[in-house]
Coordinates of all heavy atoms in Angstrom, one line a residue:
M1 N 4.4 -6.4 -11.5 CA 5.0 -7.2 -10.4 C 5.2 -8.6 -10.9 O 4.5 -9.1 -11.8 CB 4.1 -7.1 -9.2 CG 2.9 -7.9 -9.2 SD 2.0 -7.9 -7.7 CE 1.1 -9.4 -7.7
R2 N 6.1 -9.3 -10.3 CA 6.3 -10.7 -10.6 C 5.5 -11.6 -9.6 O 5.4 -11.3 -8.4 CB 7.8 -11.1 -10.5 CG 8.6 -10.4 -11.6 CD 10.0 -10.7 -11.5 NE 10.5 -10.1 -10.2 CZ 11.7 -10.3 -9.7 NH1 12.6 -11.1 -10.3 NH2 12.1 -9.7 -8.6
A3 N 5.0 -12.7 -10.1 CA 4.3 -13.6 -9.2 C 4.5 -15.1 -9.7 O 4.8 -15.3 -10.9 CB 2.8 -13.3 -9.2
L4 N 4.2 -16.0 -8.8 CA 4.2 -17.4 -9.2 C 2.7 -17.8 -9.2 O 2.1 -17.8 -8.1 CB 5.0 -18.3 -8.3 CG 6.5 -18.3 -8.4 CD1 7.2 -19.1 -7.3 CD2 6.9 -18.9 -9.8
L5 N 2.2 -18.3 -10.3 CA 0.8 -18.7 -10.3 C 0.7 -20.2 -10.6 O 1.5 -20.7 -11.4 CB 0.0 -17.9 -11.4 CG -0.3 -16.4 -11.1 CD1 -1.1 -15.9 -12.3 CD2 -0.9 -16.2 -9.8
L6 N -0.3 -20.7 -10.0 CA -0.6 -22.1 -10.3 C -1.9 -22.2 -11.1 O -3.0 -21.8 -10.6 CB -0.8 -22.8 -8.9 CG -0.9 -24.4 -9.0 CD1 0.5 -24.9 -9.2 CD2 -1.4 -24.9 -7.7
N7 N -1.8 -22.7 -12.3 CA -3.0 -22.8 -13.2 C -3.6 -24.2 -13.1 O -4.8 -24.3 -13.6 CB -2.5 -22.5 -14.6 CG -2.2 -21.0 -14.8 OD1 -3.0 -20.2 -14.5 ND2 -1.0 -20.7 -15.2
R8 N -3.0 -25.1 -12.6 CA -3.5 -26.5 -12.4 C -2.9 -27.1 -11.2 O -1.7 -26.8 -10.9 CB -3.3 -27.3 -13.7 CG -1.9 -27.5 -14.0 CD -1.7 -28.2 -15.4 NE -0.3 -28.6 -15.6 CZ 0.7 -27.8 -15.7 NH1 0.6 -26.5 -15.7 NH2 1.9 -28.3 -15.9
T9 N -3.6 -28.0 -10.5 CA -3.1 -28.5 -9.3 C -2.3 -29.8 -9.6 O -2.7 -30.9 -9.2 CB -4.2 -28.8 -8.3 OG1 -5.2 -29.6 -8.9 CG2 -4.8 -27.5 -7.7
D10 N -1.1 -29.7 -10.2 CA -0.3 -30.8 -10.5 C 1.0 -30.7 -9.8 O 2.1 -31.3 -10.2 CB 0.1 -30.8 -12.0 CG -1.1 -31.1 -12.9 OD1 -2.1 -31.8 -12.4 OD2 -1.2 -30.7 -14.1
G11 N 1.0 -30.1 -8.6 CA 2.2 -30.0 -7.8 C 3.1 -28.8 -8.1 O 2.7 -28.0 -8.9
P12 N 4.2 -28.6 -7.3 CA 5.0 -27.4 -7.5 C 5.6 -27.2 -8.9 O 5.9 -26.1 -9.3 CB 6.1 -27.6 -6.4 CG 6.1 -29.0 -6.0 CD 4.7 -29.5 -6.3
E13 N 5.7 -28.3 -9.7 CA 6.2 -28.2 -11.0 C 5.3 -27.4 -11.9 O 5.7 -26.8 -12.9 CB 6.4 -29.6 -11.6 CG 7.3 -30.5 -10.9 CD 6.7 -31.2 -9.7 OE1 5.4 -31.3 -9.7 OE2 7.4 -31.6 -8.8
A14 N 4.0 -27.2 -11.5 CA 3.0 -26.5 -12.3 C 3.1 -25.0 -12.0 O 2.4 -24.2 -12.7 CB 1.6 -27.0 -12.0
L15 N 3.9 -24.5 -11.1 CA 4.0 -23.1 -10.8 C 4.6 -22.4 -12.0 O 5.6 -22.9 -12.5 CB 4.8 -22.8 -9.6 CG 4.1 -23.2 -8.3 CD1 5.1 -23.2 -7.1 CD2 3.0 -22.2 -8.0
E16 N 4.1 -21.3 -12.4 CA 4.6 -20.5 -13.6 C 4.9 -19.1 -13.1 O 4.0 -18.4 -12.6 CB 3.6 -20.5 -14.7 CG 3.3 -21.9 -15.2 CD 2.2 -21.9 -16.3 OE1 1.9 -20.8 -16.9 OE2 1.7 -23.0 -16.5
P17 N 6.1 -18.6 -13.4 CA 6.4 -17.2 -13.1 C 5.7 -16.3 -14.2 O 5.7 -16.6 -15.4 CB 7.9 -17.1 -13.3 CG 8.3 -18.2 -14.1 CD 7.3 -19.3 -13.9
V18 N 5.0 -15.2 -13.7 CA 4.3 -14.3 -14.6 C 4.6 -12.9 -14.2 O 4.9 -12.6 -13.0 CB 2.8 -14.6 -14.6 CG1 2.5 -16.0 -15.1 CG2 2.2 -14.4 -13.2
E19 N 4.4 -12.0 -15.1 CA 4.4 -10.5 -14.8 C 2.9 -10.1 -14.8 O 2.2 -10.5 -15.7 CB 5.2 -9.8 -15.9 CG 6.6 -9.9 -15.8 CD 7.3 -9.1 -14.7 OE1 6.7 -8.1 -14.2 OE2 8.3 -9.5 -14.2
M20 N 2.5 -9.4 -13.8 CA 1.1 -8.9 -13.8 C 1.0 -7.6 -13.1 O 2.0 -7.1 -12.5 CB 0.3 -10.0 -13.0 CG 0.7 -10.2 -11.6 SD -0.1 -11.7 -10.8 CE -1.8 -11.3 -10.9
A21 N -0.1 -6.9 -13.3 CA -0.3 -5.6 -12.7 C -0.4 -5.7 -11.2 O -0.9 -6.7 -10.7 CB -1.6 -5.0 -13.2
A22 N 0.2 -4.8 -10.5 CA 0.1 -4.7 -9.0 C -1.4 -4.5 -8.6 O -2.1 -3.8 -9.3 CB 1.0 -3.7 -8.5
P23 N -1.8 -5.1 -7.5 CA -3.2 -4.9 -7.1 C -3.4 -3.4 -6.7 O -2.5 -2.7 -6.3 CB -3.4 -5.8 -5.9 CG -2.0 -6.1 -5.4 CD -1.1 -5.9 -6.6
E24 N -4.6 -3.0 -6.9 CA -5.0 -1.6 -6.5 C -5.3 -1.6 -5.0 O -5.8 -2.6 -4.4 CB -6.3 -1.2 -7.2 CG -6.1 -1.0 -8.7 CD -5.2 0.2 -9.0 OE1 -5.2 1.2 -8.3 OE2 -4.4 0.0 -9.9
P25 N -4.9 -0.5 -4.3 CA -5.3 -0.5 -2.8 C -6.8 -0.6 -2.6 O -7.5 0.0 -3.4 CB -4.7 0.9 -2.4 CG -3.7 1.3 -3.5 CD -4.2 0.6 -4.7
Q26 N -7.2 -1.3 -1.6 CA -8.6 -1.5 -1.2 C -8.7 -1.2 0.3 O -7.9 -1.8 1.1 CB -9.1 -2.8 -1.6 CG -9.1 -3.1 -3.0 CD -9.7 -4.5 -3.3 OE1 -9.7 -5.4 -2.5 NE2 -10.2 -4.7 -4.5
E27 N -9.7 -0.5 0.7 CA -10.0 -0.3 2.1 C -10.1 -1.7 2.8 O -10.7 -2.6 2.3 CB -11.3 0.5 2.2 CG -11.4 1.3 3.5 CD -10.3 2.3 3.7 OE1 -9.9 3.0 2.7 OE2 -9.8 2.4 4.8
G28 N -9.5 -1.8 3.9 CA -9.6 -3.0 4.7 C -8.4 -3.9 4.4 O -8.3 -5.0 5.0
N29 N -7.6 -3.6 3.4 CA -6.4 -4.4 3.1 C -5.1 -3.6 3.2 O -5.1 -2.4 3.2 CB -6.5 -4.9 1.6 CG -7.6 -5.9 1.4 OD1 -7.9 -6.7 2.3 ND2 -8.1 -5.9 0.2
L30 N -4.0 -4.3 3.4 CA -2.7 -3.7 3.3 C -2.0 -4.2 2.0 O -2.3 -5.3 1.5 CB -1.8 -4.3 4.4 CG -2.0 -3.8 5.8 CD1 -1.0 -4.6 6.8 CD2 -1.8 -2.3 6.0
L31 N -1.2 -3.3 1.5 CA -0.3 -3.8 0.4 C 1.1 -3.8 0.9 O 1.5 -2.9 1.6 CB -0.4 -2.8 -0.8 CG -1.7 -2.8 -1.7 CD1 -1.5 -1.8 -2.8 CD2 -1.9 -4.2 -2.2
I32 N 1.8 -4.9 0.6 CA 3.2 -5.0 1.0 C 4.0 -5.3 -0.2 O 3.6 -6.0 -1.1 CB 3.4 -6.0 2.1 CG1 3.1 -7.4 1.7 CG2 2.7 -5.7 3.4 CD1 3.6 -8.5 2.6
E33 N 5.2 -4.8 -0.2 CA 6.2 -5.2 -1.2 C 7.0 -6.3 -0.6 O 7.7 -6.2 0.4 CB 7.2 -4.0 -1.4 CG 8.2 -4.3 -2.5 CD 9.2 -3.1 -2.6 OE1 8.7 -1.9 -2.6 OE2 10.4 -3.4 -2.8
V34 N 6.7 -7.5 -1.1 CA 7.3 -8.7 -0.5 C 8.8 -8.7 -0.8 O 9.3 -8.6 -1.9 CB 6.7 -10.0 -1.1 CG1 7.4 -11.2 -0.6 CG2 5.2 -10.0 -0.8
R35 N 9.6 -8.9 0.3 CA 11.0 -9.0 0.2 C 11.5 -10.5 0.5 O 12.6 -10.8 0.0 CB 11.7 -8.1 1.3 CG 11.3 -6.6 1.1 CD 12.1 -6.0 0.0 NE 11.8 -4.7 -0.3 CZ 12.3 -3.6 0.2 NH1 13.3 -3.7 1.1 NH2 11.9 -2.4 -0.1
A36 N 10.7 -11.3 1.1 CA 11.0 -12.7 1.4 C 9.8 -13.5 1.5 O 8.7 -13.0 2.0 CB 11.8 -12.8 2.7
A37 N 9.8 -14.7 1.0 CA 8.6 -15.6 1.1 C 9.1 -17.0 1.5 O 10.2 -17.5 1.0 CB 7.9 -15.7 -0.3
G38 N 8.4 -17.6 2.4 CA 8.7 -18.9 2.9 C 7.9 -19.9 2.1 O 6.9 -19.6 1.5
V39 N 8.5 -21.1 2.0 CA 7.8 -22.2 1.3 C 7.6 -23.3 2.4 O 8.5 -23.7 3.0 CB 8.6 -22.8 0.2 CG1 7.9 -24.0 -0.5 CG2 8.9 -21.7 -0.9
S40 N 6.3 -23.6 2.6 CA 6.0 -24.6 3.7 C 5.2 -25.8 3.2 O 4.8 -25.8 2.0 CB 5.2 -23.8 4.8 OG 3.9 -23.4 4.2
F41 N 5.0 -26.7 4.1 CA 4.3 -27.9 3.7 C 2.9 -27.6 3.2 O 2.4 -28.2 2.2 CB 4.3 -28.9 4.9 CG 3.7 -30.2 4.5 CD1 4.3 -31.0 3.6 CD2 2.5 -30.7 5.2 CE1 3.7 -32.3 3.2 CE2 2.0 -31.9 4.8 CZ 2.6 -32.7 3.9
P42 N 2.1 -26.7 3.9 CA 0.8 -26.3 3.4 C 0.9 -25.8 1.9 O 0.0 -26.0 1.1 CB 0.3 -25.2 4.3 CG 1.0 -25.6 5.6 CD 2.4 -26.1 5.2
D43 N 2.0 -25.1 1.6 CA 2.1 -24.6 0.2 C 2.2 -25.8 -0.8 O 1.6 -25.8 -1.8 CB 3.3 -23.7 0.0 CG 3.2 -22.4 0.8 OD1 2.2 -21.8 0.7 OD2 4.2 -22.0 1.4
L44 N 3.0 -26.8 -0.4 CA 3.1 -28.0 -1.2 C 1.7 -28.6 -1.4 O 1.3 -29.0 -2.5 CB 4.1 -28.9 -0.6 CG 4.2 -30.3 -1.3 CD1 4.8 -30.2 -2.7 CD2 5.0 -31.2 -0.5
L45 N 1.0 -28.8 -0.3 CA -0.3 -29.4 -0.4 C -1.3 -28.5 -1.3 O -2.1 -29.1 -2.1 CB -0.9 -29.5 1.0 CG -0.2 -30.5 1.9 CD1 -0.9 -30.5 3.3 CD2 -0.2 -31.9 1.3
L46 N -1.2 -27.2 -1.2 CA -2.0 -26.3 -2.0 C -1.7 -26.6 -3.5 O -2.7 -26.6 -4.3 CB -1.7 -24.9 -1.7 CG -2.5 -24.2 -0.6 CD1 -1.9 -22.9 -0.2 CD2 -3.9 -24.1 -0.9
T47 N -0.5 -26.8 -3.9 CA -0.1 -27.0 -5.3 C -0.7 -28.3 -5.8 O -0.8 -28.5 -7.0 CB 1.4 -26.9 -5.5 OG1 2.0 -28.0 -4.9 CG2 2.0 -25.6 -5.1
R48 N -1.0 -29.2 -4.9 CA -1.5 -30.5 -5.3 C -3.1 -30.6 -5.1 O -3.6 -31.7 -5.3 CB -0.9 -31.6 -4.5 CG 0.6 -31.7 -4.8 CD 1.2 -32.8 -4.0 NE 2.6 -33.0 -4.4 CZ 3.5 -33.7 -3.7 NH1 3.1 -34.2 -2.5 NH2 4.7 -33.8 -4.1
G49 N -3.7 -29.6 -4.6 CA -5.1 -29.6 -4.3 C -5.4 -30.5 -3.1 O -6.6 -31.0 -3.0
E50 N -4.5 -30.7 -2.2 CA -4.7 -31.6 -1.1 C -4.8 -30.9 0.3 O -4.9 -31.5 1.3 CB -3.5 -32.6 -1.0 CG -3.4 -33.5 -2.2 CD -2.2 -34.3 -2.2 OE1 -1.3 -34.2 -1.4 OE2 -2.1 -35.2 -3.2
Y51 N -4.8 -29.5 0.2 CA -4.9 -28.8 1.5 C -6.4 -28.6 1.8 O -7.2 -28.7 1.0 CB -4.2 -27.4 1.3 CG -4.0 -26.7 2.6 CD1 -3.2 -27.2 3.6 CD2 -4.6 -25.4 2.9 CE1 -3.0 -26.5 4.8 CE2 -4.5 -24.7 4.0 CZ -3.7 -25.3 5.0 OH -3.5 -24.6 6.2
Q52 N -6.7 -28.3 3.1 CA -8.1 -28.2 3.5 C -8.8 -27.1 2.8 O -10.0 -27.2 2.5 CB -8.2 -28.0 5.0 CG -7.4 -26.8 5.6 CD -6.8 -27.1 6.9 OE1 -6.5 -28.2 7.2 NE2 -6.5 -26.1 7.6
L53 N -8.1 -26.0 2.5 CA -8.6 -24.9 1.6 C -8.3 -25.2 0.2 O -7.1 -25.5 -0.1 CB -8.1 -23.6 2.0 CG -8.3 -23.1 3.5 CD1 -7.6 -21.8 3.8 CD2 -9.8 -23.0 3.7
K54 N -9.2 -25.1 -0.7 CA -8.9 -25.5 -2.1 C -9.3 -24.4 -3.0 O -10.4 -24.4 -3.6 CB -9.7 -26.8 -2.5 CG -9.2 -28.0 -1.7 CD -10.0 -29.2 -2.0 CE -9.4 -30.5 -1.4 NZ -8.9 -30.4 0.0
P55 N -8.5 -23.3 -3.2 CA -8.8 -22.2 -4.1 C -8.8 -22.7 -5.5 O -8.1 -23.7 -5.9 CB -7.7 -21.2 -3.9 CG -6.6 -22.0 -3.2 CD -7.2 -23.2 -2.5
E56 N -9.7 -22.1 -6.3 CA -9.8 -22.4 -7.7 C -8.6 -21.8 -8.5 O -8.3 -20.6 -8.3 CB -11.1 -21.8 -8.3 CG -12.3 -22.6 -7.9 CD -12.3 -24.0 -8.5 OE1 -12.0 -24.2 -9.6 OE2 -12.7 -24.9 -7.7
P57 N -7.9 -22.6 -9.3 CA -6.8 -22.0 -10.1 C -7.4 -21.0 -11.1 O -8.5 -21.1 -11.5 CB -6.2 -23.2 -10.8 CG -6.7 -24.4 -10.0 CD -8.0 -24.0 -9.4
P58 N -6.6 -20.0 -11.5 CA -5.3 -19.7 -11.1 C -5.2 -19.0 -9.8 O -6.1 -18.2 -9.4 CB -4.7 -18.9 -12.2 CG -5.9 -18.1 -12.7 CD -7.1 -19.1 -12.5
F59 N -4.2 -19.3 -9.0 CA -3.9 -18.6 -7.7 C -2.5 -18.7 -7.4 O -1.7 -19.5 -8.0 CB -4.8 -19.3 -6.6 CG -4.4 -20.7 -6.2 CD1 -3.4 -20.9 -5.2 CD2 -5.0 -21.7 -6.8 CE1 -3.1 -22.2 -4.9 CE2 -4.6 -23.0 -6.4 CZ -3.7 -23.3 -5.5
G60 N -2.1 -17.8 -6.5 CA -0.7 -17.8 -6.1 C -0.6 -18.3 -4.7 O -1.1 -17.7 -3.7
P61 N 0.0 -19.5 -4.5 CA 0.1 -20.1 -3.2 C 1.1 -19.3 -2.4 O 1.9 -18.6 -2.9 CB 0.6 -21.5 -3.4 CG 1.3 -21.5 -4.7 CD 0.6 -20.4 -5.5
G62 N 1.0 -19.4 -1.1 CA 1.9 -18.7 -0.2 C 1.3 -18.3 1.1 O 0.3 -17.6 1.1
V63 N 1.7 -18.9 2.2 CA 1.1 -18.5 3.5 C 2.1 -17.7 4.4 O 1.7 -17.3 5.4 CB 0.6 -19.8 4.2 CG1 -0.5 -20.4 3.4 CG2 1.7 -20.8 4.4
E64 N 3.3 -17.6 3.9 CA 4.3 -16.8 4.7 C 5.0 -15.8 3.8 O 5.5 -16.1 2.7 CB 5.4 -17.7 5.2 CG 5.0 -18.7 6.3 CD 6.1 -19.5 6.8 OE1 7.1 -18.9 7.3 OE2 6.1 -20.7 6.7
S65 N 5.1 -14.5 4.2 CA 5.8 -13.5 3.5 C 6.2 -12.4 4.5 O 5.6 -12.3 5.5 CB 5.0 -12.9 2.3 OG 3.9 -12.3 2.8
A66 N 7.2 -11.7 4.1 CA 7.7 -10.6 4.9 C 8.1 -9.5 3.9 O 8.5 -9.7 2.8 CB 8.9 -10.9 5.7
G67 N 7.9 -8.2 4.3 CA 8.2 -7.1 3.4 C 8.0 -5.8 4.0 O 7.9 -5.6 5.2
V68 N 7.7 -4.8 3.1 CA 7.6 -3.4 3.5 C 6.2 -3.0 3.1 O 5.7 -3.2 2.0 CB 8.6 -2.5 2.9 CG1 8.4 -1.1 3.2 CG2 10.0 -3.0 3.2
V69 N 5.5 -2.3 4.1 CA 4.1 -1.8 3.8 C 4.2 -0.7 2.7 O 5.0 0.2 2.9 CB 3.4 -1.3 5.0 CG1 2.1 -0.6 4.7 CG2 3.3 -2.4 6.1
S70 N 3.5 -0.9 1.6 CA 3.5 0.2 0.6 C 2.2 0.9 0.5 O 2.2 2.0 -0.1 CB 3.8 -0.5 -0.8 OG 2.8 -1.4 -1.1
W71 N 1.2 0.5 1.2 CA -0.1 1.2 1.3 C -0.8 0.6 2.5 O -0.8 -0.6 2.8 CB -0.9 1.1 0.1 CG -2.2 1.8 0.2 CD1 -2.4 3.2 -0.1 CD2 -3.5 1.4 0.6 NE1 -3.6 3.6 0.1 CE2 -4.4 2.5 0.6 CE3 -3.9 0.2 1.1 CZ2 -5.7 2.4 0.9 CZ3 -5.3 0.1 1.5 CH2 -6.1 1.2 1.4
A72 N -1.4 1.5 3.3 CA -2.2 1.1 4.5 C -3.4 2.1 4.6 O -3.3 3.3 4.4 CB -1.4 1.2 5.7
P73 N -4.6 1.5 4.9 CA -5.7 2.4 5.1 C -5.6 3.3 6.3 O -5.0 2.9 7.3 CB -6.9 1.4 5.2 CG -6.3 0.2 5.6 CD -4.9 0.1 5.1
E74 N -6.2 4.4 6.2 CA -6.3 5.4 7.3 C -6.8 4.7 8.6 O -7.8 4.0 8.5 CB -7.1 6.6 7.0 CG -7.1 7.7 7.9 CD -5.9 8.6 7.8 OE1 -5.3 8.6 6.7 OE2 -5.5 9.1 8.8
G75 N -6.2 4.9 9.7 CA -6.7 4.3 11.0 C -6.4 2.8 11.2 O -6.9 2.2 12.1
S76 N -5.6 2.2 10.3 CA -5.4 0.8 10.4 C -4.3 0.4 11.5 O -4.2 -0.7 11.9 CB -4.9 0.2 9.1 OG -3.6 0.7 8.8
G77 N -3.6 1.4 11.9 CA -2.5 1.1 12.8 C -1.2 0.8 12.1 O -0.2 0.6 12.7
F78 N -1.2 0.7 10.8 CA 0.0 0.4 10.0 C 0.3 1.7 9.2 O -0.5 2.5 8.9 CB -0.3 -0.7 9.0 CG -0.5 -2.0 9.7 CD1 -1.8 -2.5 10.0 CD2 0.6 -2.9 10.0 CE1 -2.0 -3.7 10.6 CE2 0.4 -4.1 10.6 CZ -0.9 -4.5 10.9
S79 N 1.6 1.8 8.9 CA 2.0 3.0 8.1 C 3.0 2.5 7.0 O 3.6 1.5 7.1 CB 2.7 4.0 9.0 OG 3.8 3.5 9.6
V80 N 3.1 3.3 5.9 CA 4.0 3.0 4.8 C 5.4 3.0 5.3 O 5.8 3.9 6.1 CB 3.7 4.0 3.7 CG1 4.8 3.8 2.6 CG2 2.3 3.9 3.1
G81 N 6.2 2.0 4.8 CA 7.6 1.9 5.2 C 7.8 0.9 6.3 O 8.9 0.6 6.7

């Protein structure tokens, strides 16, 4: 899968496109195939290390996405597709 990763908190210029393995399904989580992603002010702050949550790099910023469910745990109320 393709992703944008931030390896250092130097702003959006530090985002790097990478190819990586898709995550494995885990109980309690949904997997979605992202079709659209929003870029918001909190995302900008995350890339600079200025947001209230400060994940350790490397991480993929992003608080908004839309897509298609590709895996859902039994009984979650969600279904593939």
Side-chain angles (χ1 to χ4, degrees):
M1 73 176 207
R2 291 179 294 174
L4 282 175
L5 288 185
L6 192 72
N7 289 303
R8 60 189 193 288
T9 52
D10 290 336
E13 300 82 21
L15 287 167
E16 298 177 16
V18 298
E19 286 287 332
M20 58 191 304
E24 293 295 321
Q26 294 181 338
E27 207 55 44
N29 291 331
L30 286 177
L31 286 181
I32 65 167
E33 181 182 322
V34 175
R35 299 283 174 91
V39 178
S40 64
F41 188 63
D43 294 317
L44 174 64
L45 293 176
L46 276 167
T47 66
R48 295 180 177 164
E50 297 173 354
Y51 192 62
Q52 59 218 22
L53 301 174
K54 295 177 175 40
E56 286 294 317
F59 67 90
V63 296
E64 293 183 57
S65 62
V68 177
V69 174
S70 59
W71 183 85
E74 188 78 29
S76 69
F78 294 92
S79 58
V80 173

